[in-house]
Amino acid sequence: MKAFSRQLRRYYGWYTGTFLFFVIVLAIGEQLGLSNHVIGHVFLFVTIAIYASIGVMSRTSDVSEYYVAGRRVPAVFNGMATAADWMSAASFIGLAGTLYFSGFEGLAFVTGWTGGFVLVALLLAPYLRKFGQYTIPDFLGARYQGNFARLVGLGATVLASFVYLVAQIYGVGLVTSRFVSVEFEIGLFIGLAGILVCSFLGGMRAVTWTQVAQYLILILAYLVPVVILSYKLTGIPIPQVMYGQVLSQLSEREEELLHAPSEIEARNQFRYRAQDYAAKIANLPDSLEAERRSLIERLNDMRIENASAREMAQTERALGGLPRSPEEARVMWEKARAEALERSRAPPRHAEAHPGDTPEQRVIARNNFLALVFVLMVGTAALPHILMRYYTTPGVVEARRSVFWSLFFIFLLYVTAPAYAVFAKWEVYNSVIGSSLSILPDWVASWGKVGMVKIEDINGDGILQLAELTMNTDVIMLATPEIAGLPYVVSGLVAAGGLAAALSTADGLLLTISNALSHDLYYKVINPKASTHRRLVISKSQLLVVAVVAAWVASMRPDNILFMVGLAFSIGAAAFFPALVLGIFWKRANRPGAVVGMLLGLGVTLFYVARTHPFFGGSMANSWFSINPISAGVFGVPLGFIAIVVVSLLTRPPPKEIQELVDYVRYPQLPPSDTPPNNGG
C-alpha cells in the first residue's frame, strides 16, 4: 500500500507541475498576442481531455473497482477526491457570489458545510466503512431488514442526488457558454460529454482518480486570482488575513452609496415601478386590456409619424410580450413587482449580522441563518455521494483519516471565499458604480450576452447607480478576474477550475444515482441472480439516461446554483440523517420506525418547498416562521427522529441478528474475522 501511495504522489506531482507549466505558457502567449477566444477554448478542451484520458486509462469491468475503487484509495487521495466531489459548482462558483450579496449571512454556508464534516467523522464515516458494502441503501436494507427501507432510501438517494446534479450541469453550461461563446443549452451538452467519459467507463475507480486531478486544478484556480488581488489591493499576497483591511474601507464606501442622492433617486424609481405593478394587478382584467390598447395606439401613432424602425420594433416586442390572459398577467406582473421592490431596497451592509429594518425582520434573518447552518451541517453528514466515498478506503482507520484530509482540503477554499467577496465588491463599488454607461468595462457586455449581468438606466442620467446594476450570484466568481483587470489567462484558469468543480461533483452524483438504480433496485430487488456483466451494463445505461434528463432540466434554469444545492441538502438531511444515526447508535430502531421516519421527514420537506418556492407556484406567504425554502429540512429532520423513536417503541424490536449487526458496526476495533450478518434482502 505504501508503494502504491508513493507512486500516486509521483504521478500527481508531475501532473501538477505540468499543469502549472501549461498555464505559464498560455500567459506568455497572451503577452505575445494570443487572443482571449483561443485561450478560453484551450483551457476548456485541454482540461476536459485530461479528465477523459484518466477516465479511459481507469476503465474497468470489475464490480469492486467499479463501485468502490477496489477499496484501496489512500486517505490523503480519498480526502482530495472527497473535497473535489464536495466542492461543487455551488462552492466554487456560487459561494463567493452569495457572500458578495449577503455578506455576513452568507457565512451560514461556510459554517454549515465545514461543521458537517465533523458530524461525518464522529457519527457516520467509520461505521459505514465497517459495514463495508457499496451504497447507503445497502446499509438501510441490512439494518432495517429488507427491501422496503432499501427502496425508500433508494428513492431519496435519487431525488437528492438528481437535484444536486442539475445544479452541477447548470454550472457546466454556464462556464462553457461564456468561455467558448456558444448558447447556454449547447454548452450544457459539451460539458456533459466530459462528465460521461469519466463515470461511464470506469465507475468509482475512474471518478476517484479524475477527482484528485480536478481538485488540484480547482484549488489552484481558486487561490491564484485572489492572491493576486490581495497583493494588488493591500501589497500582501495573503487574502485570508488581509481582506479585513479592505472590508473596513468597503464599509465606508457602502455608507457613501447608501446616502448618495443619485442612488436614492434610482431606488425611488424602482419603488414607483413596484407600485405601478401593484395597481395593475389590483385592476385586472381591465388593466391588461388598457395596456394592450395603449400599445396599439402608440404603434399606430409611430407609423403615422414615421418613427424609427428601432422604436417601432421595441413597441411591437412589448405588444407581443403582453400576457395572453389575466391569470398569466397576474403571475408575470407579480414577478416584475417583486423584482422592482427588491431593487428599491438599499443593499445590506456587508459586515452587518442579521440585517433588517425592524426588530422582527432581524429576528427572521437570524432564524433563517441558524436554520440554514443546521440543514447544511446535517445534510453534509447525510448526502449519499459523499458517504459513498468512505467505502473506498482500505479500512476504518483510513476512513477517519480521510475525513480529516477532506476537511483540510475543503478548508483551503472556504477560508478564502469571504476574501473573494470583499475584493470583488470593492472593485465593483469603486471601478464600476458611478461610471458613465458609455465607457463600462467589457466584462459587463460579455456576461450580459449570457443573461448574467443586466443594466437599466432608470433615472436616465447616463451614470450607473448601484440599484441599476443586476448581477446573478453565479457570475461574481467567474467574472472577478475581469472585474479586477487581471490578465485573461487568469479568467481562463478560473473557468477551468469552475468546470473541474462542476464535473467532479457531477461524476460522483451520476455514479451514485446509477449505482443505486442498478445495484439497489435491479440487483438487490428485481434480479438477484444477475451476472456481473449485466449489472455493469444496467449501471452504465442508467447513468446515460439520468445525465441526459438532468441536462434537460438544467436547460430550464430552475434557480441559481446555490439554492438547488441547498435544496438537495434539505432532502438528504430529512430523509437519511435520522435513520442512519439511530440505525448506528440505537438498537431499538426498527423497520417500521425507519420507513415512517424517512417518508415523513422527506414528505414534510418537499411539501414545504412546494408551498413556498415560486418555481413550484408557491409563495413565502405560506411559510412557517418565515423560514426560507432552502432550509425546509429544518422541519423534516426533527420529525424524522421523533417518528422513528415513537413508531419503533410502539412496534416489535428488531431481531437479535440485527442488534448484533449494530454492535458489529459500532465497534470498529473488532477483528476482521467478525462479519456482519447477511440481511440485505
Side-chain angles (χ1 to χ4, degrees), residues 83-151:
D85 208 346
W86 173 253
M87 289 192 300
S88 61
S91 294
F92 192 96
I93 299 175
L95 183 57
T98 297
L99 288 165
Y100 177 102
F101 289 106
S102 304
F104 180 92
E105 300 301 285
L107 293 175
F109 290 94
V110 177
T111 307
W113 281 338
T114 49
F117 273 90
V118 177
L119 298 183
V120 172
L122 294 177
L123 301 180
L124 294 170
Y127 308 111
L128 291 175
R129 177 61 189 89
K130 184 66 185 296
F131 173 68
Q133 289 295 314
Y134 294 140
T135 66
I136 299 306
D138 263 340
F139 174 80
L140 295 173
R143 172 61 180 85
Y144 295 116
Q145 300 171 264
N147 289 330
F148 199 174
R150 181 193 299 278
L151 290 174

Side-chain angles (χ1 to χ4, degrees), residues 19-156:
F19 183 75
L20 287 172
F21 177 73
F22 164 72
V23 174
I24 292 169
V25 168
L26 280 182
I28 294 171
E30 182 178 4
Q31 297 301 314
L32 296 176
L34 193 64
S35 71
N36 295 350
H37 188 70
V38 171
I39 291 173
H41 278 72
V42 169
F43 259 119
L44 183 73
F45 291 112
V46 166
T47 50
I48 288 181
I50 291 171
Y51 309 145
S53 299
I54 296 173
V56 170
M57 289 187 290
S58 302
R59 63 189 183 277
T60 182
S61 58
D62 180 88
V63 170
S64 178
E65 291 283 354
Y66 189 88
Y67 284 129
V68 289
R71 302 193 198 278
R72 59 194 182 97
V73 182
V76 174
F77 291 95
N78 195 53
M80 278 191 195
T82 304
D85 208 346
W86 173 253
M87 289 192 300
S88 61
S91 294
F92 192 96
I93 299 175
L95 183 57
T98 297
L99 288 165
Y100 177 102
F101 289 106
S102 304
F104 180 92
E105 300 301 285
L107 293 175
F109 290 94
V110 177
T111 307
W113 281 338
T114 49
F117 273 90
V118 177
L119 298 183
V120 172
L122 294 177
L123 301 180
L124 294 170
Y127 308 111
L128 291 175
R129 177 61 189 89
K130 184 66 185 296
F131 173 68
Q133 289 295 314
Y134 294 140
T135 66
I136 299 306
D138 263 340
F139 174 80
L140 295 173
R143 172 61 180 85
Y144 295 116
Q145 300 171 264
N147 289 330
F148 199 174
R150 181 193 299 278
L151 290 174
V152 174
L154 166 67

Side-chain angles (χ1 to χ4, degrees), residues 165-340:
L165 176 63
V166 169
Q168 307 318 307
I169 295 180
Y170 177 90
V172 170
L174 191 62
V175 173
T176 308
S177 61
R178 166 65 183 88
F179 289 94
V180 188
S181 301
V182 296
E183 293 294 326
F184 174 78
E185 290 76 13
I186 297 173
L188 282 177
F189 287 94
I190 292 175
L192 194 62
I195 297 170
L196 289 172
V197 170
C198 300
S199 47
F200 190 81
L201 293 175
M204 183 63 83
R205 177 182 174 181
V207 166
T208 296
W209 304 127
T210 304
Q211 284 174 337
V212 174
Q214 287 165 333
Y215 176 79
L216 293 169
I217 288 180
L218 75 85
I219 201 64
L220 281 172
Y222 205 84
L223 293 178
V224 166
V226 76
V227 167
I228 297 173
L229 261 177
S230 179
Y231 183 75
K232 175 185 174 183
L233 296 176
T234 69
I236 298 175
I238 309 175
Q240 299 86 347
V241 174
M242 298 309 299
Y243 83 90
Q245 178 180 317
V246 179
L247 179 57
S248 63
Q249 299 170 351
L250 176 63
S251 298
E252 296 175 6
R253 178 63 174 152
E254 285 178 324
E255 290 302 318
E256 292 175 16
L257 292 175
L258 192 64
H259 300 101
S262 58
E263 291 289 342
I264 294 173
E265 181 190 359
R267 291 198 294 268
N268 285 338
Q269 291 290 335
F270 281 111
R271 185 174 295 108
Y272 300 148
R273 177 181 291 179
Q275 292 169 356
D276 288 343
Y277 276 117
K280 287 181 181 179
I281 293 169
N283 293 323
L284 280 170
D286 295 340
S287 56
L288 177 59
E289 188 57 35
E291 185 85 3
R292 183 173 286 110
R293 283 199 308 269
S294 173
L295 286 172
I296 292 172
E297 289 171 5
R298 187 192 307 173
L299 190 59
N300 290 333
D301 291 342
M302 285 181 173
R303 288 169 178 158
I304 294 170
E305 296 168 3
N306 292 321
S308 68
R310 181 181 178 185
E311 289 177 334
M312 291 183 64
Q314 288 176 341
T315 306
E316 286 174 347
R317 279 198 300 272
L319 182 60
L322 274 181
R324 299 178 184 277
S325 65
E327 292 75 21
E328 187 179 332
R330 187 179 302 278
V331 172
M332 184 182 296
W333 289 348
E334 180 58 42
K335 182 179 179 182
R337 188 196 71 84
E339 182 182 329

